[in-house]
């Protein structure tokens, strides 16, 4: 049996179109244009690509996009001053500081300075707490996107055995919280877990977010499982070329799973689409308006 491929690229395009439709209604009915500010410190090539794509897709959704590019030598105080200014700017509803930051800047202090109600990345401790308490807040784009793909694939997730491999603050931990909130039985595995293949073989839902190319093998997968691969790893492909692979050995896993996300074109495109959805929600909440239907 060959698994259904979960087309995250198409799903994300649909979500972006839905956000754009609602943004147009918000503008038409209330004269309100959601605004997203993205700060990039330094010139990390991957971060530059992400930030450029965020800007393009924000504008395509009809929102205002502010990009603030700062040199790698920028001091922490200067970065915090930008955040204070954006927190106070009524035209800006979402603020995102692209990670990783240069080593001399303390990430924790930066995230804590963002107004939690503009923290569309969902990284501020207040939003992490809200997620854990089941209160409304902002959920990080990548795990939010994974949940949307799972809901579209499986419908109700109640009672399912879910395994999350990876315990990062950006993906693993919020993913586990979201699966728990959806009534899954959740296990979190990590580098110290014993017998990872055995843990995987129990999982009806397997989310791999470890950053190790093709670590999860086909014979680790429970037959009929839904597999969400968050990994984006660049590996040598011969002839001096490289290619992207996930954390799951795709060709093997698709013979066993019922549904699986590819890399690229699976989870990746969902992250920005969910960020845009969060920015729209931030603008509506700030104005005390419901999401336009
Ligand atoms: N770096 C890699 N992923 C992300 C993300 O989702 N948000 C931010 N701010 N930085 C990142």
């Amino acid at each position: 049996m060959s698994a259904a491929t979960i087309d995250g690229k198409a799903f994300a395009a649909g979500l972006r179109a839905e956000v754009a439709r609602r943004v147009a209604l918000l503008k038409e009915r209330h004269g309100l244009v959601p605004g997203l500010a993205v700060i990039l410190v330094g010139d990390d090539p991957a971060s530059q690509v992400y930030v450029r794509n965020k800007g393009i897709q924000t504008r395509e959704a009809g929102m205002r996009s502010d990009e603030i590019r700062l040199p790698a030598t920028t001091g922490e105080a200067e970065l915090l001053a930008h955040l204070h200014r954006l927190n106070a700017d009524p035209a800006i509803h979402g603020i995102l500081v692209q990670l990783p930051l240069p080593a001399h800047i303390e990430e924790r202090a930066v995230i804590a300075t963002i107004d939690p109600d503009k923290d569309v990345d969902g990284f501020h401790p207040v939003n992490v707490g809200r997620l854990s308490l089941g209160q409304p807040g902002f959920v990080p784009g990548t795990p939010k996107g994974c949940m949307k793909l799972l809901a579209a694939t499986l419908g109700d997730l109640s009672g399912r055995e879910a395994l999350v491999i990876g315990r990062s603050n950006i993906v693993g931990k919020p993913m586990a919280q979201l699966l728990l909130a959806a009534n899954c039985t959740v296990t979190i595995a990590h580098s110290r877990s014993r017998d990872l293949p055995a843990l995987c073989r129990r999982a009806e839902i397997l989310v791999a977010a470890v950053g190790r190319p093709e670590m999860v093998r086909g014979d680790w997968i429970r037959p009929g499982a839904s597999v969400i691969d968050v990994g984006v790893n660049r590996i040598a492909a011969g002839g001096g070329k490289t290619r992207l692979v996930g954390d799951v050995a795709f060709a093997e896993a698709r013979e066993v799973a019922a549904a699986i996300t590819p890399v690229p074109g699976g989870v990746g495109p969902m992250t920005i689409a969910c960020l845009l959805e969060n920015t729209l929600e931030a603008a509506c909440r700030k104005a005390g308006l419901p999401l336009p239907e």
Side-chain angles (χ1 to χ4, degrees):
M1 187 191 73
S2 194
T5 300
I6 302 172
D7 189 347
K9 195 173 164 191
F11 198 96
L15 179 57
R16 290 198 306 273
E18 180 60 17
V19 170
R21 187 183 69 78
R22 291 177 196 260
V23 167
L25 289 174
L26 199 61
K27 229 182 270 189
E28 187 183 303
R29 293 182 190 159
H30 305 282
L32 176 57
V33 179
L36 173 66
V38 175
I39 302 183
L40 173 62
V41 186
D43 42 24
D44 175 71
S47 291
Q48 285 184 336
V49 173
Y50 287 133
V51 167
R52 190 168 59 239
N53 287 335
K54 281 172 196 163
I56 291 168
Q57 293 181 24
T58 303
R59 286 186 291 276
E60 278 176 359
M63 302 191 200
R64 168 173 164 174
S65 165
D66 284 17
E67 270 174 44
I68 298 155
R69 291 166 184 270
L70 303 171
T73 51
T74 303
E76 187 173 304
E78 189 185 339
L79 176 55
L80 297 190
H82 279 283
L83 290 174
H84 287 301
R85 177 178 59 75
L86 293 167
N87 282 344
D89 185 342
I92 295 298
H93 305 94
I95 303 170
L96 179 150
V97 179
Q98 186 66 30
L99 303 178
L101 287 164
H104 67 277
I105 299 180
E106 202 201 333
E107 186 180 299
R108 198 160 65 169
V110 171
I111 291 171
T113 301
I114 300 171
D115 176 351
D117 294 333
K118 295 191 177 188
D119 168 40
V120 285
D121 247 341
F123 294 167
H124 191 288
V126 165
N127 283 315
V128 177
R130 286 170 175 161
L131 174 59
S132 149
L133 294 169
Q135 296 173 2
F138 292 111
V139 175
T142 302
K144 187 176 180 182
C146 293
M147 288 304 289
K148 285 183 189 285
L149 295 178
L150 282 170
T153 305
L154 292 172
D156 185 9
L157 307 186
S158 286
R160 307 225 188 210
E161 286 273 353
L163 176 71
V164 179
I165 316 176
R167 53 177 159 178
S168 71
N169 293 335
I170 295 182
V171 183
K173 286 182 200 164
M175 189 71 219
Q177 290 285 1
L178 289 167
L179 289 163
L180 185 60
N183 302 313
C184 291
T185 302
V186 183
T187 303
I188 306 176
H190 45 77
S191 55
R192 304 288 174 87
S193 294
R194 274 180 284 131
D195 205 351
L196 187 56
L199 292 173
C200 288
R201 286 185 195 113
R202 283 183 16 203
E204 300 170 87
I205 294 170
L206 196 160
V207 181
V210 269
R212 290 204 180 193
E214 301 179 320
M215 183 188 76
V216 177
R217 309 310 307 187
D219 65 355
W220 298 15
I221 309 270
R222 175 171 167 163
S226 298
V227 178
I228 304 290
D229 190 348
V230 185
V232 183
N233 309 290
R234 193 166 285 283
I235 62 166
K241 297 207 168 127
T242 63
R243 67 188 176 97
L244 289 182
V245 297
D247 292 345
V248 179
F250 183 82
E252 294 175 14
R254 73 184 310 199
E255 297 304 319
V256 189
I260 183 167
T261 58
V263 177
V267 173
M270 292 298 290
T271 300
I272 298 182
C274 290
L275 171 74
L276 300 179
E277 187 180 61
N278 283 352
T279 304
L280 169 63
E281 280 176 19
C284 290
R285 278 185 211 163
K286 185 77 182 170
L289 294 167
L291 276 182
E293 291 302 333

